[in-house]
mmCIF file of all heavy atoms in Angstrom:
data_model
loop_
_atom_site.group_PDB
_atom_site.id
_atom_site.type_symbol
_atom_site.label_atom_id
_atom_site.label_comp_id
_atom_site.label_asym_id
_atom_site.label_seq_id
_atom_site.Cartn_x
_atom_site.Cartn_y
_atom_site.Cartn_z
ATOM 1 N N ASN A 292 190.371 23.642 -115.283
ATOM 2 C CA ASN A 292 191.431 24.255 -114.638
ATOM 3 C C ASN A 292 191.710 23.717 -113.187
ATOM 4 O O ASN A 292 192.352 24.250 -112.381
ATOM 5 C CB ASN A 292 191.273 25.819 -114.592
ATOM 6 C CG ASN A 292 189.944 26.158 -113.927
ATOM 7 O OD1 ASN A 292 189.219 25.275 -113.421
ATOM 8 N ND2 ASN A 292 189.523 27.391 -113.797
ATOM 9 N N LYS A 293 191.010 22.584 -112.968
ATOM 10 C CA LYS A 293 191.176 21.981 -111.535
ATOM 11 C C LYS A 293 192.475 21.178 -111.564
ATOM 12 O O LYS A 293 192.857 20.487 -112.606
ATOM 13 C CB LYS A 293 189.930 21.053 -111.378
ATOM 14 C CG LYS A 293 188.633 21.716 -111.225
ATOM 15 C CD LYS A 293 187.495 20.699 -110.988
ATOM 16 C CE LYS A 293 186.184 21.450 -110.928
ATOM 17 N NZ LYS A 293 185.110 20.376 -110.792
ATOM 18 N N ASN A 294 193.130 21.174 -110.486
ATOM 19 C CA ASN A 294 194.356 20.336 -110.260
ATOM 20 C C ASN A 294 194.006 18.898 -110.198
ATOM 21 O O ASN A 294 194.690 17.965 -110.619
ATOM 22 C CB ASN A 294 195.209 20.778 -109.126
ATOM 23 C CG ASN A 294 195.688 22.190 -109.299
ATOM 24 O OD1 ASN A 294 196.214 22.483 -110.355
ATOM 25 N ND2 ASN A 294 195.713 23.078 -108.209
ATOM 26 N N VAL A 295 192.865 18.577 -109.491
ATOM 27 C CA VAL A 295 192.468 17.122 -109.354
ATOM 28 C C VAL A 295 190.933 17.096 -109.650
ATOM 29 O O VAL A 295 190.228 17.877 -109.050
ATOM 30 C CB VAL A 295 192.680 16.675 -107.945
ATOM 31 C CG1 VAL A 295 192.344 15.172 -107.770
ATOM 32 C CG2 VAL A 295 194.141 16.893 -107.499
ATOM 33 N N PHE A 296 190.559 16.184 -110.497
ATOM 34 C CA PHE A 296 189.048 16.027 -110.758
ATOM 35 C C PHE A 296 188.795 14.599 -111.285
ATOM 36 O O PHE A 296 189.674 13.923 -111.661
ATOM 37 C CB PHE A 296 188.662 17.161 -111.750
ATOM 38 C CG PHE A 296 189.273 17.032 -113.114
ATOM 39 C CD1 PHE A 296 188.645 16.271 -114.121
ATOM 40 C CD2 PHE A 296 190.434 17.710 -113.317
ATOM 41 C CE1 PHE A 296 189.199 16.266 -115.387
ATOM 42 C CE2 PHE A 296 190.924 17.714 -114.629
ATOM 43 C CZ PHE A 296 190.406 17.013 -115.716
ATOM 44 N N PHE A 297 187.496 14.275 -111.213
ATOM 45 C CA PHE A 297 187.079 12.948 -111.718
ATOM 46 C C PHE A 297 186.910 13.063 -113.322
ATOM 47 O O PHE A 297 186.311 13.965 -113.734
ATOM 48 C CB PHE A 297 185.678 12.614 -111.159
ATOM 49 C CG PHE A 297 185.752 12.407 -109.588
ATOM 50 C CD1 PHE A 297 185.334 13.402 -108.701
ATOM 51 C CD2 PHE A 297 186.193 11.200 -109.088
ATOM 52 C CE1 PHE A 297 185.385 13.106 -107.377
ATOM 53 C CE2 PHE A 297 186.187 10.932 -107.709
ATOM 54 C CZ PHE A 297 185.822 11.971 -106.880
ATOM 55 N N LYS A 298 187.458 12.069 -113.975
ATOM 56 C CA LYS A 298 187.362 11.985 -115.349
ATOM 57 C C LYS A 298 186.182 11.096 -115.706
ATOM 58 O O LYS A 298 185.378 11.357 -116.572
ATOM 59 C CB LYS A 298 188.619 11.577 -116.034
ATOM 60 C CG LYS A 298 189.777 12.506 -115.831
ATOM 61 C CD LYS A 298 191.058 12.045 -116.582
ATOM 62 C CE LYS A 298 190.788 12.235 -118.197
ATOM 63 N NZ LYS A 298 192.037 11.928 -118.895
ATOM 64 N N SER A 299 186.133 9.913 -115.123
ATOM 65 C CA SER A 299 185.090 8.933 -115.382
ATOM 66 C C SER A 299 184.893 8.107 -114.292
ATOM 67 O O SER A 299 185.740 7.705 -113.482
ATOM 68 C CB SER A 299 185.307 8.194 -116.735
ATOM 69 O OG SER A 299 186.441 7.295 -116.579
ATOM 70 N N ILE A 300 183.662 7.408 -114.147
ATOM 71 C CA ILE A 300 183.293 6.501 -113.152
ATOM 72 C C ILE A 300 182.419 5.481 -113.647
ATOM 73 O O ILE A 300 181.429 5.796 -114.399
ATOM 74 C CB ILE A 300 182.661 7.219 -111.930
ATOM 75 C CG1 ILE A 300 183.518 8.265 -111.320
ATOM 76 C CG2 ILE A 300 182.333 6.107 -110.774
ATOM 77 C CD1 ILE A 300 182.851 9.130 -110.259
ATOM 78 N N ASP A 301 182.732 4.148 -113.383
ATOM 79 C CA ASP A 301 181.855 2.989 -113.821
ATOM 80 C C ASP A 301 181.549 2.120 -112.710
ATOM 81 O O ASP A 301 182.389 1.966 -111.811
ATOM 82 C CB ASP A 301 182.508 2.224 -114.941
ATOM 83 C CG ASP A 301 182.756 3.025 -116.255
ATOM 84 O OD1 ASP A 301 181.697 3.309 -116.901
ATOM 85 O OD2 ASP A 301 183.965 3.413 -116.497
ATOM 86 N N THR A 302 180.435 1.494 -112.704
ATOM 87 C CA THR A 302 180.112 0.374 -111.706
ATOM 88 C C THR A 302 180.157 -0.909 -112.364
ATOM 89 O O THR A 302 179.492 -1.113 -113.447
ATOM 90 C CB THR A 302 178.776 0.703 -111.022
ATOM 91 O OG1 THR A 302 177.766 0.777 -112.033
ATOM 92 C CG2 THR A 302 178.737 1.924 -110.235
ATOM 93 N N PHE A 303 180.774 -1.961 -111.781
ATOM 94 C CA PHE A 303 180.963 -3.306 -112.269
ATOM 95 C C PHE A 303 180.369 -4.241 -111.302
ATOM 96 O O PHE A 303 180.443 -4.052 -110.124
ATOM 97 C CB PHE A 303 182.429 -3.554 -112.495
ATOM 98 C CG PHE A 303 183.086 -2.800 -113.570
ATOM 99 C CD1 PHE A 303 183.593 -1.460 -113.345
ATOM 100 C CD2 PHE A 303 183.426 -3.429 -114.826
ATOM 101 C CE1 PHE A 303 184.243 -0.808 -114.338
ATOM 102 C CE2 PHE A 303 183.938 -2.678 -115.807
ATOM 103 C CZ PHE A 303 184.425 -1.420 -115.613
ATOM 104 N N ASN A 304 179.980 -5.381 -111.816
ATOM 105 C CA ASN A 304 179.468 -6.498 -111.024
ATOM 106 C C ASN A 304 180.610 -7.494 -110.826
ATOM 107 O O ASN A 304 181.743 -7.236 -111.253
ATOM 108 C CB ASN A 304 178.172 -7.156 -111.544
ATOM 109 C CG ASN A 304 178.495 -7.742 -112.905
ATOM 110 O OD1 ASN A 304 179.571 -7.937 -113.359
ATOM 111 N ND2 ASN A 304 177.358 -8.058 -113.596
ATOM 112 N N SER A 305 180.299 -8.572 -110.155
ATOM 113 C CA SER A 305 181.372 -9.560 -109.805
ATOM 114 C C SER A 305 181.933 -10.210 -111.048
ATOM 115 O O SER A 305 183.027 -10.842 -110.995
ATOM 116 C CB SER A 305 180.768 -10.638 -108.902
ATOM 117 O OG SER A 305 180.292 -10.137 -107.715
#
Side-chain angles (χ1 to χ4, degrees):
N292 57 3
K293 297 178 181 177
N294 291 320
V295 183
F296 63 91
F297 295 101
K298 293 185 70 174
S299 66
I300 301 170
D301 295 290
T302 55
F303 291 78
N304 61 16
S305 298

